[in-house]
């Protein structure tokens, strides 16, 4: 076997994405280091890693967001590269820079690119320079006389959006229906942006009605090659959060796909982009498309690209970070078939999607040809309040869209979960919706097409099909929640800053953990 590209990689994340990244790293012969907060000491990603850095505490701010502490501990372990996953520190330019300062490679784009793309005004200006279409709008000094701003808004037209330059997660964003609301919305957005991001800069943007969210996967290497790996349609959103994604987009003709793909590559070239990224576009009902933002990381929904383009994006990220050229050119890439992803959340659709916590008493996802599950949990595990309630991503592939949707509908009907509320039935109702089946989606689909929110637990038929014994089922239905024995209780003593424990669940003793504490 040839020498691995890296000796040891830290996966600075948790949950399903940490598991998914480690899987590829292990295939590549690379040793893996996980992070573990207190509630995660028994989590899947921690069990999977060769070594573990323990970050005492529960909240992200005291654990997974402790960039400098993580880097110091990783360096002490001899880590040579860091994969940040998504969320947490993945789009933190200071962390990316810190990796280099601690002698480690950051598996992602350059810190300057992360910084620039984190500023929506700078990012838009860059795109205008590169000739990429952006949503018409206005940006300028906050001290500008308001009569000037009002005149600009009249030119843009209503409705329009006030958006924060440093925005994220919809914060600092206001929809303005008419001129009389503008000044109040402008000040409110600036105040919110100041308190959320410490940066009050806001700008104006035309509001595109009933748009689609269509994004392109981009990839650049350190040898000047930039490609796109086609689109993902992510219009099914709840409170600006994507919940179902598919590729190809039912809205794109080959001509439009080509035009948007070229724009995405132009955007990436203008930034000198390296590694994996996503160019998000907003797509109007008239077929016009505009740059929205660049996500400088691996996307949650990357598996649908992997299933249709037959590439492992994490493997590519590692190869590019190690200095290898991309192993293909644009002309080598094709979309094959259709892939759909559903995000399985521990949340209760009948109770305003309240996050669910508790023990996963029963967890049997469906299996079958062309079904992929990216999961960060296991039966018997605990779902806590501390982190994102996403349990898993269910991904299916079909030769064409209809076949993929039929498979997804079947797979959801066989997704058996007991112990925490979940959105499986809610997702199935969307997948089976005639409008969704017809591909008539936009970002307000769920507001315009409310689905029946009643069932929150897996139907009994699915549970039986998944093999739960009727004995346990009876005890469940009889309201007594069956206890699943927590088989593992480890993490031994610490000595000084480090402790070593031999995992009791690894037969043969090949599996060793090095637990570092602060
Ligand atoms: P954030 O970084 O806060 O998530 P984005 O700019 O990515 O903000 O926008 C979030 C969501 O808001 C988009 O996915 C889209 O649904 C909607 N949105 C953003 N800009 C516009 C626009 N100009 N017109 C209509 N909807 C928009």
């Amino acid at each position: 076997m040839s020498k691995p590209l890296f000796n040891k990689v830290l996966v600075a994340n948790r949950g399903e994405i940490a598991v998914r990244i480690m899987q590829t790293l292990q295939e590549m012969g690379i040793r893996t280091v996980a992070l573990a907060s207190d509630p995660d000491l028994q989590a899947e990603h921690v069990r999977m890693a060769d070594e573990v850095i323990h970050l005492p505490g529960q909240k992200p701010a005291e654990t997974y967001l402790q960039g400098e502490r993580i880097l110091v501990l990783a360096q002490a372990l001899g880590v040579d590269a860091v994969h940040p996953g998504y969320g947490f520190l993945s789009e933190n330019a200071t962390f990316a820079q810190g990796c280099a300062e601690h002698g480690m490679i950051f598996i992602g784009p350059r810190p300057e690119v992360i910084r620039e793309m984190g500023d929506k005004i700078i990012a838009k200006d860059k795109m205008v320079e590169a000739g990429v279409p952006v949503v018409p709008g206005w940006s300028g000094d906050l001290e500008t006389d308001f009569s000037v701003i009002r005149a600009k808004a009249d030119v843009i037209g209503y409705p329009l959006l006030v958006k924060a330059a440093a925005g994220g997660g919809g914060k600092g964003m206001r929809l303005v229906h008419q001129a009389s609301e503008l000044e109040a919305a402008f000040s409110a957005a600036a105040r919110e942006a100041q308190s959320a991001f410490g940066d009050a800069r806001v700008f104006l943007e035309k509001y595109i009605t009933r748009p689609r969210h269509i994004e392109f996967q981009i990839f650049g290497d350190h040898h000047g090659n930039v490609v796109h790996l086609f689109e993902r349609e992510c219009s099914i959103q709840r409170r600006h959060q994507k919940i179902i994604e598919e590729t190809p987009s039912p809205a794109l003709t080959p001509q439009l796909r080509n035009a948007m793909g070229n724009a995405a590559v132009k955007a990436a070239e203008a930034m000198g982009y390296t590694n994996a990224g996503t160019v998000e576009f907003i797509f109007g009902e008239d077929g016009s498309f505009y740059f929205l933002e660049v996500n400088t990381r691996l996307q949650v929904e990357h598996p649908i690209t992997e299933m249709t383009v037959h590439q492992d994006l994490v493997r590519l990220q590692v190869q590019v970070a190690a200095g290898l050229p991309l192993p293909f050119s644009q002309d080598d890439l094709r979309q094959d078939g259709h892939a759909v992803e559903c995000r399985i959340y521990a949340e209760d659709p009948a109770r305003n999607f309240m996050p669910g916590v508790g023990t996963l008493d029963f967890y049997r996802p469906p299996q079958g040809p062309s079904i992929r599950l990216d999961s960060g949990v296991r039966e018997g595990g605990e779902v806590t309040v501390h982190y994102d309630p996403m349990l898993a991503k269910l991904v299916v592939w079909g030769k064409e869209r209809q076949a993929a949707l039929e498979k997804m509908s079947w797979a959801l009907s066989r997704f058996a979960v007991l112990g925490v509320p979940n959105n499986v039935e809610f997702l199935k109702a969307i997948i089976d919706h005639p409008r969704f089946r017809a591909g008539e989606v936009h970002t307000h689909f769920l507001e315009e097409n409310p689905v029946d929110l009643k069932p929150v637990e897996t139907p009994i038929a699915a549970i039986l099909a998944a093999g739960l014994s009727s004995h346990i089922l009876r005890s469940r239905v009889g309201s007594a929640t069956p206890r699943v024995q927590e088989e593992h209780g480890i993490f031994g003593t610490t000595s000084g800053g480090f402790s070593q424990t031999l995992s009791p669940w690894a037969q043969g003793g090949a599996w060793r953990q090095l637990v570092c504490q602060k």
Side-chain angles (χ1 to χ4, degrees):
M1 219 170 87
S2 57
K3 198 171 160 296
L5 291 176
F6 293 110
N7 179 35
K8 199 185 278 188
V9 170
L10 167 71
V11 180
N13 215 292
R14 66 174 303 284
E16 67 83 19
I17 194 64
V19 171
R20 186 264 166 272
I21 292 164
M22 284 187 214
Q23 191 177 328
T24 291
L25 293 173
Q26 291 177 351
E27 284 172 23
M28 298 175 83
I30 297 170
R31 278 182 75 76
T32 53
V33 181
L35 298 179
S37 65
D38 289 338
D40 277 346
L41 285 172
Q42 304 285 340
E44 283 303 273
H45 73 279
V46 177
R47 294 172 164 229
M48 190 171 179
D50 298 302
E51 298 174 37
V52 180
I53 294 176
H54 179 200
L55 300 166
Q58 302 186 322
K59 296 191 186 92
E62 60 194 16
T63 55
Y64 298 105
L65 289 172
Q66 287 279 324
E68 183 58 26
R69 177 139 66 98
I70 290 168
L71 291 174
V72 169
L73 291 169
Q75 189 175 23
L77 278 185
V79 163
D80 40 23
V82 178
H83 196 306
Y86 56 71
F88 295 121
L89 297 162
S90 62
E91 291 177 280
N92 182 321
T94 308
F95 181 73
Q97 180 85 45
C99 285
E101 287 161 7
H102 286 273
M104 296 175 281
I105 288 178
F106 178 77
I107 302 177
R110 290 179 290 116
E112 308 86 74
V113 173
I114 299 176
R115 200 165 279 125
E116 276 177 1
M117 292 301 118
D119 185 316
K120 291 184 198 288
I121 294 177
I122 297 181
K124 262 183 102 162
D125 287 349
K126 268 229 125 104
M127 293 307 134
V128 172
E129 261 173 52
V132 175
V134 301
V135 188
W138 170 86
S139 67
D141 198 328
L142 278 189
E143 303 307 314
T144 307
D145 191 292
F146 209 79
S147 61
V148 176
I149 298 176
R150 193 174 290 115
K152 297 286 181 189
D154 288 339
V155 175
I156 297 165
Y158 291 88
L160 59 77
L161 281 174
V162 183
K163 285 174 127 178
K171 284 216 180 75
M173 194 149 93
R174 288 285 186 289
L175 177 59
V176 186
H177 294 280
Q178 55 204 30
S180 62
E181 300 166 359
L182 182 67
E183 195 158 359
F186 195 90
S187 327
R191 269 197 311 275
E192 189 174 306
Q194 177 64 38
S195 89
F197 314 110
D199 178 352
R201 288 173 307 132
V202 291
F203 60 103
L204 304 182
E205 202 168 87
K206 182 179 167 61
Y207 184 69
I208 313 293
T209 48
R210 300 174 93 233
R212 288 172 183 261
H213 172 119
I214 299 178
E215 59 186 33
F216 273 71
Q217 177 70 51
I218 52 166
F219 234 108
D221 65 17
H222 296 276
H223 304 268
N225 304 306
V226 180
V227 298
H228 73 80
L229 292 91
F230 306 101
E231 80 276 14
R232 294 181 288 256
E233 160 93 55
C234 309
S235 299
I236 301 293
Q237 303 181 355
R238 210 180 63 74
R239 296 202 193 122
H240 298 310
Q241 285 288 340
K242 303 162 186 168
I243 54 173
I244 297 178
E245 303 95 347
E246 63 179 308
T247 184
S249 163
L252 293 194
T253 59
Q255 292 73 21
L256 267 170
R257 178 170 296 113
N258 211 16
M260 290 175 83
N262 287 342
V265 167
K266 231 174 3 179
E269 282 170 347
M271 293 177 266
Y273 203 91
T274 48
N275 220 290
T278 293
V279 182
E280 294 189 338
F281 293 103
I282 193 155
F283 185 90
E285 286 181 292
D286 59 356
S288 54
F289 63 90
Y290 309 97
F291 168 84
L292 199 54
E293 66 173 346
V294 176
N295 291 325
T296 52
R297 54 167 160 81
L298 188 67
Q299 208 81 330
V300 176
E301 56 274 19
H302 76 276
I304 58 173
T305 299
E306 296 187 323
M307 289 191 69
T308 45
V309 184
H310 307 305
Q311 295 290 335
D312 178 335
L313 296 190
V314 173
R315 182 179 284 264
L316 291 171
Q317 285 191 291
V318 172
Q319 290 170 338
V320 163
L324 297 182
L326 283 170
F328 44 68
S329 66
Q330 191 68 59
D331 289 343
D332 299 325
L333 295 167
R334 299 268 177 285
Q335 287 171 300
D336 173 32
H338 200 96
V340 188
E341 173 181 281
C342 283
R343 301 191 190 188
I344 313 291
Y345 281 97
E347 63 183 15
D348 191 343
R351 293 206 189 111
N352 201 22
F353 296 88
M354 201 159 72
V357 293
T359 307
L360 270 174
D361 292 322
F362 190 71
Y363 181 69
R364 300 287 160 88
Q367 292 181 339
S370 306
I371 295 178
R372 164 174 169 176
L373 187 85
D374 284 23
S375 178
V377 295
R378 70 174 184 286
E379 192 167 283
E382 291 291 324
V383 180
T384 73
V385 290
H386 304 295
Y387 312 111
D388 185 86
M390 192 170 76
L391 299 176
K393 299 173 327 203
L394 178 64
V395 189
V396 304
W397 182 92
K399 243 180 147 46
E400 18 69 32
R401 186 170 188 266
Q402 207 51 28
L405 296 182
E406 282 164 11
K407 191 181 283 287
M408 180 57 90
S409 180
W410 177 85
L412 288 168
S413 74
R414 292 294 185 280
F415 203 118
V417 183
L418 283 180
V420 292
N422 61 79
N423 67 341
V424 169
E425 288 289 299
F426 174 68
L427 292 166
K428 182 165 166 13
I430 302 169
I431 294 287
D432 291 343
H433 196 288
R435 282 239 156 89
F436 182 81
R437 287 289 170 116
E440 294 166 17
V441 295
H442 53 83
T443 57
H444 305 294
F445 181 90
L446 292 178
E447 291 145 49
E448 289 185 16
N449 301 282
V451 299
D452 185 7
L453 296 180
K454 269 180 275 138
V456 294
E457 281 211 331
T458 309
I460 300 237
I463 308 254
L464 285 172
L468 182 66
S469 81
S470 54
H471 165 70
I472 299 182
L473 182 60
R474 260 197 308 280
S475 82
R476 170 72 199 172
V477 171
S479 94
T481 305
R483 300 301 310 166
V484 174
Q485 191 64 34
E486 256 295 356
E487 350 56 318
H488 316 302
I490 57 130
F491 281 81
T493 51
T494 59
S495 60
F498 298 89
S499 80
Q500 287 197 316
T501 52
L502 202 58
S503 159
W505 62 75
Q507 305 295 314
W511 200 102
R512 276 159 57 89
Q513 301 196 95
L514 183 62
V515 181
C516 319
Q517 300 197 315
K518 70 176 163 174

